[in-house]
Amino acid sequence: MDMDIVQSPISTLNNIYEISGVEVGQHFYWQIGGFQVHAQVLITSWVVIAVLSGSATIAVRDPQTIPTGGQNFVEYILEFIRDLTRTQIGEEEYGPWVSFIGTMFLFIFVSNWSGALLPWGILKLPQGELAAPTNDINTTVALASLTSIAYFYAGLAKKGLGYFGKYIQPTPILLPINILEDFTKPLSLSFRLFGNILADELVVAVPVSLVPLVVPIPVMFLGLFTSGIQALIFATLAAAYIGESMEGHH
């Protein structure tokens, strides 16, 4: 009887470990420093980074006092990101965080659009297939984890160890709930982005496979719109969490 009691938790842990190894679809792996990574995600992420870096370099390589063309477009995007960050974080504190929020917004935006516009299927891999980086849960979890690190850093830099006093506000009874909230924030960010992008690609894939010409076009335009909205939501929530971690200290 005692052996059964001991083996029961062990068998449960083994089952959990087996479930953690379950994968959806096939993946192309690389071995880097003893770690197994999803190669298709790295490839598409590098493409997105190259597009962003190249576009920014070309647009501002010859800056003008009166912006025109690409420089005007880049400055419009920068102003949009600055306004978004200022609104969520506040007039006094938003400056250092514009680059972080802007990087998050642009990477997610271009990643989402790359899945809808670029013909990744033309490039064949030994296993799996190329898709938007945000179509992989590892990417969205990494972005959400960076956001969590950012708002913890913002709160500690602003308030010091007094930052942890928020966990017993307005009453110590809420301590478990306040701690749980910090775990649910990155989970919400990562699964919201991953789920919406995955669902969007599936919604487009079904009509394309059935009627590959006219019918999928409106659905694809809707996908572009929702992809942009998801990038905006992620950036807005990230800025709001950072602003929340610094508020109440004057």
Side-chain angles (χ1 to χ4, degrees), residues 73-114:
F73 180 68
V74 169
E75 291 190 10
Y76 173 79
I77 295 176
L78 178 59
E79 188 63 28
F80 171 78
I81 295 171
R82 185 182 290 118
D83 289 341
L84 170 65
T85 310
R86 182 191 297 115
T87 301
Q88 299 300 325
I89 296 180
E91 185 71 32
E92 297 180 357
E93 307 289 348
Y94 83 96
W97 295 101
V98 172
S99 58
F100 177 77
I101 300 301
T103 300
M104 285 288 183
F105 173 75
L106 292 175
F107 179 81
I108 295 172
F109 184 89
V110 176
S111 295
N112 294 350
W113 273 44
S114 71

Side-chain angles (χ1 to χ4, degrees), residues 157-227:
K158 182 69 177 179
K159 303 179 182 179
L161 295 178
Y163 169 76
F164 295 105
K166 72 166 192 171
Y167 291 107
I168 57 174
Q169 297 296 330
T171 171
I173 298 177
L174 296 179
L175 174 64
I177 297 177
N178 290 332
I179 294 176
L180 183 62
E181 181 184 6
D182 280 338
F183 285 97
T184 58
K185 284 178 179 177
L187 286 175
S188 174
L189 284 174
S190 59
F191 281 100
R192 179 190 295 108
L193 179 59
F194 167 70
N196 279 282
I197 299 306
L198 179 62
D200 177 61
E201 294 196 359
L202 292 176
V203 167
V204 173
V206 171
V208 165
S209 62
L210 298 177
V211 187
L213 292 178
V214 180
V215 175
I217 294 178
V219 180
M220 293 177 68
F221 279 114
L222 179 62
L224 292 176
F225 175 75
T226 56
S227 296

Side-chain angles (χ1 to χ4, degrees), residues 29-30 99 146 151 170 181 201:
Y29 292 105
W30 282 342
S99 58
L146 287 174
Y151 72 70
E181 181 184 6
E201 294 196 359

Side-chain angles (χ1 to χ4, degrees), residues 3 11 17 83 96 123 126 143 151 169 188 203 211 234 242:
M3 289 298 295
S11 62
Y17 178 79
D83 289 341
L123 303 175
L143 294 173
Y151 72 70
Q169 297 296 330
S188 174
V203 167
V211 187
F234 193 102
I242 293 171

Side-chain angles (χ1 to χ4, degrees), residues 224-243:
L224 292 176
F225 175 75
T226 56
S227 296
I229 292 297
Q230 289 305 314
L232 178 61
I233 290 173
F234 193 102
T236 301
L237 289 176
Y241 293 156
I242 293 171

